[in-house]
Amino acid sequence: MPTNHQIHLDSRPTGEAVASNFKLVTTETPALQDGQVLVRHHFLSLDPYMRGRMNDAKSYAQPQALGQTMGGGTVGEVVESRNPKFAVGDKVVGMGGWQEYSVVDANLMGALRKVDTTHVPLSAYLGAVGMPGVTAWYGLVKIIEPQAGQTVVVSAATGAVGSAFAALAKARGCRTVGIAGGPEKCTYAVNELGFDACIDYKLHSTAASLSKAIAEACPNGIDGYFENVGGMVLDAVLPRMNAFGRIAVCGMIAGYDGQPLPLSYPALILTQRLKVQGFIVSEHMEIWPEALTELGTLVATGKLKPRESIAQGLAAAPEAFLGLLKGKNFGKQLVKLL
């Protein structure tokens, strides 16, 4: 059996996460038991939710255990199988974690899924045609429930979720506006992802200034907002929400260091009769087949052209992850393992 390299959570962050919270270790891959398969990972997904799980705090998921392999989505290839449902060479997606190989009990529901790479690149199953894409689909379709001609806005617009959101919203006839950091990202959002407009939040030091820019990009107000950031961005968006607007709350990356994120004008939720709903996409597995079918078609037909930031080698994962939390990535953040 091959030697495996893993990255463990070695210590919990105090405030901002740092590289020393992680530890690279070498282990031996165990022999397979009946029903198991050995997967060689090609790509590892890095996602903002991982920061929250580094804390030992009550949340919707168990904290990441110390001294254990960091959890995370992976795509790869079956290199040995003792399960009749999977053959050597099958391309698969699962939650293999921050390591080069994983031994998977392939009989467990949802543990491993075969994917077709004929028209969709393998890496896309960690982004546009994976959890981030389905996240965008659920927030837009099930919470925002857009109608043609309405205005929808998404923060972190050029990330894996935001880019999928744009394609899905445009397919439904919406005016689609993004919020991103830096002129390069905003240009990409409009020219490549199809946003009608994109606002550079880095040009604004206050919520009032950002809110004015949002008003200029959304002259008819905002009917639906997909929240990935929180903090100043949410404070800037709320005054621009139309009556009976819908807000899908997916992430609060501005608060992942553990500091509270006060809301400046919560009364707007009442006066505008807003629906504000948080969600965890793994709790809605029933919609995944429908969402993945639409997302796969968008990628295969070139209507969704997601961008990827790729770090090379497992050892690069911690720094790439820390960069993701600061917005240094451009598009979906991956680590290439093979």
Side-chain angles (χ1 to χ4, degrees), residues 67-90:
Q68 299 294 320
T69 304
M70 283 285 295
T74 51
V75 289
E77 181 177 352
V78 174
V79 292
E80 185 178 344
S81 176
R82 293 188 64 178
N83 189 302
K85 298 176 185 177
F86 292 87
V88 171
D90 283 347

Side-chain angles (χ1 to χ4, degrees), residues 129-140:
V129 196
M131 180 272 290
V134 178
T135 298
W137 192 97
Y138 186 88
L140 178 70

Side-chain angles (χ1 to χ4, degrees), residues 129-202:
V129 196
M131 180 272 290
V134 178
T135 298
W137 192 97
Y138 186 88
L140 178 70
V141 175
K142 296 299 185 180
I143 297 178
I144 294 175
E145 299 180 305
Q147 302 297 315
Q150 291 188 332
T151 297
V152 295
V153 176
V154 60
S155 54
T158 60
V161 175
S163 58
F165 181 93
L168 294 166
K170 293 304 294 181
R172 287 159 174 78
C174 295
R175 175 170 174 79
T176 306
V177 176
I179 302 172
E184 186 183 3
K185 288 183 178 181
C186 288
T187 298
Y188 167 73
V190 174
N191 293 346
E192 296 293 331
L193 294 178
F195 280 93
D196 293 290
C198 188
I199 300 150
D200 182 358
Y201 73 85
K202 290 187 176 181

Side-chain angles (χ1 to χ4, degrees), residues 108-127:
L108 291 176
M109 183 70 69
L112 207 60
R113 177 169 57 91
K114 294 181 190 178
V115 294
D116 184 354
T117 58
T118 305
H119 302 292
V120 176
L122 183 61
S123 60
Y125 288 102
L126 291 176

Side-chain angles (χ1 to χ4, degrees), residues 231-289:
M232 185 185 84
V233 176
L234 180 55
D235 280 342
V237 170
L238 271 179
R240 306 305 171 190
M241 294 296 300
N242 289 331
F244 304 104
R246 291 82 62 197
I247 299 177
V249 182
C250 167
M252 290 279 179
I253 197 169
Y256 280 170
D257 286 345
Q259 297 301 314
L261 288 179
L263 189 61
S264 294
Y265 303 107
L268 290 168
I269 298 172
L270 171 61
T271 58
Q272 294 302 93
R273 287 86 82 209
L274 303 178
K275 178 176 82 170
V276 182
Q277 182 176 337
F279 71 99
I280 307 301
V281 74
S282 59
E283 296 176 347
H284 304 281
M285 298 305 295
E286 73 282 355
I287 60 91
W288 280 58

Side-chain angles (χ1 to χ4, degrees), residues 10-99:
D10 195 47
S11 61
R12 300 203 185 278
T14 302
E16 185 173 318
V18 294
S20 60
N21 294 135
F22 304 95
K23 183 179 181 181
L24 179 65
V25 302
T26 301
T27 65
E28 296 301 318
T29 305
L32 296 186
Q33 305 296 316
D34 287 343
Q36 293 182 331
V37 300
L38 178 65
V39 180
R40 175 65 163 106
H41 303 149
H42 290 206
F43 291 95
L44 162 67
S45 174
L46 299 180
D47 299 281
Y49 76 83
M50 296 170 175
R51 175 62 187 86
R53 295 188 183 178
M54 293 171 70
N55 297 331
D56 187 11
K58 182 179 179 181
S59 184
Y60 61 87
Q62 288 293 319
Q64 170 66 48
L66 290 174
Q68 299 294 320
T69 304
M70 283 285 295
T74 51
V75 289
E77 181 177 352
V78 174
V79 292
E80 185 178 344
S81 176
R82 293 188 64 178
N83 189 302
K85 298 176 185 177
F86 292 87
V88 171
D90 283 347
K91 301 297 190 299
V92 292
V93 59
M95 292 294 290
W98 293 30
Q99 56 182 339

